[in-house]
Amino acid sequence: MLVLTRKLNEAVRIGAEVEVRVLGIEGGQVRLGIQAPRWIPVHREEVYREIQLENREAAQTAPEALRTALRAAAPDP
């Protein structure tokens, strides 16, 4: 892990398109401003982990349950 020290209003660039700027520091919390293209997802860590968990659960859908759902959705022959 790269560890950097930044002061208020200083920034870090990630590639040419992402900037993370320190907007405030107060009471043990850091307020960050993130500027990134819309196609780069930006999430809080806890939200990102929840999305990953939901994706893993969806990927583990039982094949038989999936076949049943497809049969139910298919038009009658």
Side-chain angles (χ1 to χ4, degrees):
M1 173 185 292
L2 173 66
V3 179
L4 301 171
T5 301
R6 299 280 66 198
K7 295 177 182 173
L8 188 63
N9 293 319
E10 290 184 339
V12 172
R13 294 204 62 94
I14 302 171
E17 300 184 60
V18 178
E19 178 183 284
V20 180
R21 182 171 296 276
V22 178
L23 299 178
I25 305 168
E26 185 176 326
Q29 290 188 319
V30 177
R31 186 169 182 232
L32 301 173
I34 301 168
Q35 195 164 37
R38 289 186 179 270
W39 53 269
I40 296 178
V42 178
H43 303 285
R44 292 184 182 101
E45 176 71 20
E46 62 274 18
V47 172
Y48 178 77
R49 289 185 184 276
E50 185 66 29
I51 291 169
Q52 294 300 307
L53 178 63
E54 289 178 10
N55 286 345
R56 277 194 297 275
E57 289 174 356
Q60 294 174 353
T61 300
E64 186 55 39
L66 186 56
R67 279 192 282 277
T68 300
L70 288 172
R71 278 194 296 267
D76 289 330

